[in-house]
Amino acid sequence: MGIVKISDLMHENLRVVGNALSRSINAQAEHWMRVGMLTEMHPELDHREICQLLIRAELAGGLDIARAVTAQPGKPRASSTGKH
């Protein structure tokens, strides 16, 4: 485990959203990092598909970057709307 330095504004954003979603600041930051990582790795997926991928990863024992890189998250969509 390490320390990540973030801006005061991002810390406040994490606090507000974490409170709203019943997550700690650390849990909210980790959630956003997972979603962002998977969005960069799988730009063809929308937010719903990213959430499904996270659920499947959790059922398989947790998100592992090595497995996530090689995972086939599903059929690519015919057209990408650019929404994440």
Side-chain angles (χ1 to χ4, degrees):
M1 180 170 18
I3 295 175
V4 176
K5 292 185 179 187
I6 60 172
S7 69
D8 290 339
L9 178 58
M10 181 56 72
H11 189 271
E12 180 63 10
N13 292 340
L14 287 163
R15 186 190 67 72
V16 169
V17 175
N19 283 341
L21 299 176
S22 300
R23 294 181 179 135
S24 69
I25 290 172
N26 288 344
Q28 184 62 42
E30 190 167 338
H31 173 71
W32 279 349
M33 286 187 280
R34 282 188 198 114
V35 170
M37 178 183 69
L38 290 170
T39 299
E40 287 185 352
M41 292 169 59
H42 300 287
E44 73 281 3
L45 301 181
D46 62 23
H47 186 260
R48 179 185 57 80
E49 293 164 322
I50 292 289
C51 290
Q52 290 173 346
L53 186 60
L54 283 168
I55 292 167
R56 286 193 303 270
E58 184 63 28
L59 290 171
L63 185 61
D64 176 8
I65 186 87
R67 285 194 326 230
V69 168
T70 59
Q72 297 299 318
K75 297 178 191 173
R77 296 182 316 193
S79 65
S80 178
T81 61
K83 293 181 185 176
H84 294 175

